Amino acid sequence: MTNATESVKYNYITPAADIYEEETKFVLKADLPGVSKEGLDVTVENNLLEITGKTDPELFIHTDESREEGIYAYKRSFKIDRNIDTGRISASLQDGVLTLELAKSEEVKPKKIEISYKH
Amino acid sequence: MLTTYNVLHDINSLLDSFIEPRHAVHELPNVDFEEKEGEINVKYLVPEAKIEDIDIQLENNILKVSYERKQDESERRYIRKERTSNRFSRAIKLPYKVDGDNAQASLKDGVLKVTLKKSPDALPKKIEIK
């Protein structure tokens, strides 16, 4: 179906996303129904987090003339700042939902300050 | 809680910035209906759905699908909340009678697919002249 990469046309959709905060991390959840592991791409470059998810071509490609042909794909970018440790981002995909766990960098984590007693 | 709200407000500005505008041109259909040569395929977008969240009923030529995404119980400190707590019940009148015994449904990657075949009753019959 996709012999020449250049000929593939994608119809991009912005997926809905939730972000919530936990003590040591931020969690991002994005709805990517129709995307399997093979079609998912999550990259971090220059503090830019980019999510691209291509749906299974068999699922949504429309061949009838009333609709535009093309494979549906999700794409969304987030700018991340110093509060996130870009080296510690983990991703999982289940039931069409992407979950990204973004660990907070050490400097913004709540710290317990030890009190030392002088004798 | 007032304290939580204040915390959120601060963090909002740290993480938030959008780079690209929304690609609003192509919206993925929440329900996709396709009929081809006596076979009907209906697809529903149900991210996060488990099999037990979905109820499919076929009565005469009405296909009814109900789905409820279970709400998250825990009180999360949301910075951004766009995903809706999904719940729908949708009935589709099919163009012809289908064979209920051979109806199939599958759930994969948040997409529910229901496949129905035309009932033998609905096929054209040749009537012999006596």
Side-chain angles (χ1 to χ4, degrees), chain B:
Chain B
M1 281 196 308
L2 197 65
T3 46
T4 312
Y5 177 77
N6 286 338
V7 171
L8 284 188
H9 186 74
D10 287 342
I11 285 153
N12 202 24
S13 59
L14 303 175
L15 193 79
D16 192 47
S17 349
F18 265 124
I19 301 303
E20 287 168 54
R22 278 183 159 253
H23 306 276
V25 189
H26 303 285
E27 287 290 327
L28 200 61
N30 286 323
V31 179
D32 193 61
F33 184 93
E34 195 179 46
E35 196 279 331
K36 212 173 168 184
E37 291 158 11
E39 193 182 282
I40 295 169
N41 276 300
V42 196
K43 291 162 203 156
Y44 302 81
L45 297 187
V46 285
E48 215 160 39
K50 306 281 179 204
I51 291 170
E52 59 269 25
D53 301 337
I54 300 170
D55 183 56
I56 309 169
Q57 283 181 32
L58 186 65
E59 200 184 322
N60 296 320
N61 59 343
I62 307 279
L63 173 71
K64 192 179 163 192
V65 172
S66 310
Y67 158 65
E68 194 175 337
R69 181 198 269 179
K70 290 191 187 86
Q71 268 283 31
D72 209 333
E73 301 293 323
S74 62
E75 262 189 49
R76 285 172 174 168
R77 288 189 285 168
Y78 279 104
I79 294 163
R80 179 185 288 280
K81 182 101 183 72
E82 295 168 355
R83 296 162 72 230
T84 47
S85 53
N86 244 329
R87 163 209 284 246
F88 72 74
S89 181
R90 206 165 283 194
I92 297 175
K93 192 174 178 194
L94 304 170
Y96 43 71
K97 206 177 164 200
V98 294
D99 183 359
D101 296 331
N102 288 310
Q104 287 180 333
S106 64
L107 181 64
K108 189 179 175 276
D109 299 327
V111 179
L112 171 72
K113 186 178 166 187
V114 180
T115 305
L116 304 161
K117 289 207 166 64
K118 203 173 198 170
S119 162
D121 299 351
L123 293 171
K125 279 194 188 79
K126 190 175 163 64
I127 296 166
E128 298 290 337
I129 305 162
K130 286 181 185 171

Side-chain angles (χ1 to χ4, degrees), chain A residues 13-33:
Chain A
I13 310 147
T14 304
D18 287 350
I19 302 170
Y20 58 89
E21 188 192 359
E22 288 182 0
E23 198 170 330
T24 58
K25 66 190 178 209
F26 292 99
V27 181
L28 188 155
K29 279 180 181 278
D31 282 341
L32 310 173

